[in-house]
Amino acid sequence: MIKFPDNHFALKSSRCVIDGAIVPAQIEVKNGIIKDIHAYDAALGCCIDNVGDLVVMPGLVDSHVHINEPGRTEWEGFNTATQAAAAGGITTLVDMPLNCIPVTINKASFQEKLDSVDDKLWVDCGFWGGVVPDSIGDLDELLNAGVLGCKSFLIDSGIEEFQPMKAEDLRQAMPILAKYNAPYLIHAELDCGAPPAQITKAYKSFLDSRPKSWENNAIDMMIDLNREVKAQGLECPVHIVHLSSSEAIASIESARGEGISLTIETCPHYLTLAAESIPDGKTLFKCCPPIREEDNRQRLWRGLKDGVIDFIVSDHSPCTPELKHIDTGDIEKAWGGISALQFGLPLIWTEAKIQGYDLIDITRWMSEKTAEFIGMDHIKGYIKAGFYADFVIFDDKAGYVITNEMIKHKHNITPYAGRRVDGNVISTYLRGEKIYHDDEFGESPTGQPLLKGRV
């Protein structure tokens, strides 16, 4: 790949996503930083990287990725996950505190994770910590170590070491998160004690086993707890991960009207797939919460339009093919998680066009809002002077069929194999360096850890 002298060049396109518009421009880069933005026909004293009418967007920021290293690298790892991210136009991701071993619930386990990333990051990577009942006393030290915020489950996580939190546990943790103004990410499902549903190979049986009420009740509980925190004069920035139930939208809107701090994400699988079209016995589609009905999917899109749902992230949750029980079709035993890290942009673009949205909307949902959420919107998520020169070059008119062979994450399985998508990531730049181009990667990984308060 071409390298410019002193990393000084201008990226030129007739279509750049800048300041909420698609405009012709030349984006001058020096030493990894956007130096200035010039008129399309301005004479510049540096090399020009002209991409014609391909779209130049800010690099995507994905704040929900399970990388599983250290400890479960047979599932995934930093090298393969960040390569898949680069191939998908993602220049920044944030790693989840599970399903690694040890789970990232204290300063020592966080340091172990940091030690494992050397020479493996193809994109920049931040880290979420975790909170379980037994680790609340470690929370201050963990937050001071540089995690961007913390996550908890309200239900069995599937990982024995990452136990769920009850209301009394949350009441202890939330004031600590409030003290640091750190996001508190919540897997919002509450098993309300009903007899376990019988799960067969029929996808509907799995869907029925995790009803919308589990999400609705969990979100209502978090809203009530946040009211308690607010009554103490504190503000805990609660964040609901991977919203699946559109029925929760009304409660979210009402809580925000009261001034409750609450942000919401959803994922490509909830926006592009519907339960009615999932074949029985196809375990690759299993995730928690589940993919719901078509009407629910359309309501999630309206939630994005209305700003109730803030942004879109992958929730890339890989495992070995054996744990997916692909051959037997045993949905109950299969690990729940969708693997599709590198395909988020074309998947969302394909559906967004149908819904009436454009690349400006996608930039807001997948770059700007996510950068703001992780506290990096002073250097990430926008094409502005002084920001990191992180770009994705996107051919919005191209199309292809997703195949297992093109997958860059560790195991070449995904529920999207065979699906046709519009749009193709041509190149990805990280701090001015082309780290991915035309299905090839740069010479070596150049990503950096992103620690809170140190970037």
Side-chain angles (χ1 to χ4, degrees), residues 154 186-190 214-216 218-219 222 240-242 289:
L154 307 183
I186 300 294
H187 181 118
E189 287 185 291
L190 273 179
W214 283 22
E215 284 190 85
N216 304 339
I219 291 170
M222 293 309 304
I240 304 302
V241 298
H242 49 50

Side-chain angles (χ1 to χ4, degrees), residues 105-173:
I105 57 173
N106 53 44
K107 182 179 179 180
S109 57
F110 180 44
Q111 186 59 54
E112 191 167 340
K113 177 165 284 189
L114 289 177
D115 291 342
S116 73
V117 306
D118 285 349
D119 299 322
K120 296 176 184 174
L121 298 180
W122 291 85
V123 302
D124 289 347
C125 184
F127 307 88
W128 299 120
V131 190
V132 299
D134 290 341
S135 74
I136 296 171
D138 298 309
L139 190 47
D140 276 295
E141 193 174 51
L142 178 60
L143 287 163
N144 280 315
V147 297
L148 303 181
C150 288
K151 180 182 184 179
S152 289
F153 273 68
L154 307 183
I155 196 170
D156 179 17
S157 69
I159 300 295
E160 186 178 348
E161 315 93 288
F162 207 88
Q163 295 293 312
M165 299 276 278
K166 294 183 170 60
E168 54 266 30
D169 304 314
L170 295 161
R171 287 189 177 97
Q172 295 179 61

Side-chain angles (χ1 to χ4, degrees), residues 287-303:
C287 58
C288 301
I291 296 160
R292 303 196 187 276
E293 304 85 353
E294 173 65 16
D295 177 68
N296 185 85
R297 184 178 79 88
Q298 296 294 340
R299 291 176 184 273
L300 291 178
W301 275 103
R302 286 198 286 277

